[in-house]
Amino acid sequence: GVSLLRQLRCSRHLKVFVLVASCAAVTAGAQSPLDMSGSYIENSSGKHVSGNKTTILISQTDNQIEIRRQWNGTVQISTFPLDGSPGVYRTASGVQGQGSAHWKGSTLSIETLVAAPSQGGKTIRFHTKEQWQLSKDKQTLKIHVETDSPDMPVEITNAAIAPYTDVYQRSPSTP
């Protein structure tokens, strides 16, 4: 009786130990997010913004990423925690919204939601999804962007803001 009870307790403790050790091994072996820190210069046309080349300066820590976009004298700064919790996003015109960022493997996924007043006084919400991918040699950054609006038909949103991919090259002054 007592011996069997001890064996069951030991067996239970062993199972808990194996479970904890397995989780630790999986966590330790999980892929670390890439450090995208650096300066990047747009390599694509940039027609969706202003026709001028955009420069992106990224400062990344273990916990957050700050993205500073500059073009034609305009500066846009957004900061996102990397755990998916809400961060501050600002549009080029200064309208503040919320955004979140998290890693999906080696792709940084950023989603933003902004409510902007229209000319008629009605507020229109825009939801943007960005997929950021850095090449293996860390010299090329691709950002795929899709925007939708819960306040407008999909065909109108897609006609006004069609999905696009911008390509950036790491600035020579960035390691």
Side-chain angles (χ1 to χ4, degrees), residues 3-163:
S3 176
L4 180 60
L5 187 57
R6 278 191 194 141
Q7 286 178 349
L8 287 173
R9 279 190 196 142
C10 288
S11 174
R12 193 174 333 152
H13 288 293
L14 180 61
K15 287 178 185 174
V16 169
F17 172 77
V18 168
L19 179 63
V20 169
S22 297
C23 289
V26 167
T27 302
Q31 182 180 2
S32 299
L34 294 171
D35 185 356
M36 293 189 169
S37 295
S39 180
Y40 301 87
I41 301 168
E42 188 175 19
N43 198 25
S44 52
S45 68
K47 291 179 187 173
H48 61 278
V49 177
S50 66
N52 294 320
K53 300 269 184 200
T54 299
T55 299
I56 295 180
L57 179 62
I58 301 171
S59 299
Q60 181 182 332
T61 66
D62 290 340
N63 302 322
Q64 76 174 19
I65 189 165
E66 179 185 270
I67 302 163
R68 177 186 299 257
R69 297 179 194 215
Q70 297 174 246
W71 70 95
N72 201 27
T74 301
V75 177
Q76 174 191 12
I77 302 172
S78 299
T79 304
F80 305 103
L82 289 171
D83 63 2
S85 61
V88 176
Y89 171 76
R90 291 195 193 285
T91 66
S93 61
V95 176
Q96 183 173 317
Q98 283 200 335
S100 64
H102 63 277
W103 291 97
K104 290 181 182 177
S106 61
T107 299
L108 179 63
S109 179
I110 299 175
E111 292 196 38
T112 60
L113 183 64
V114 174
S118 68
Q119 290 178 345
K122 180 182 174 190
T123 299
I124 299 176
R125 295 169 292 165
F126 291 97
H127 173 236
T128 301
K129 294 181 244 177
E130 298 181 0
Q131 302 297 314
W132 293 46
Q133 295 181 318
L134 189 59
S135 63
K136 290 186 188 294
D137 67 2
K138 298 185 179 186
Q139 297 303 304
T140 304
L141 174 64
K142 289 184 181 180
I143 304 173
H144 180 74
V145 181
E146 294 182 14
T147 302
D148 61 65
S149 173
D151 303 317
M152 295 183 349
V154 173
E155 53 277 355
I156 292 176
T157 305
N158 284 344
I161 311 170

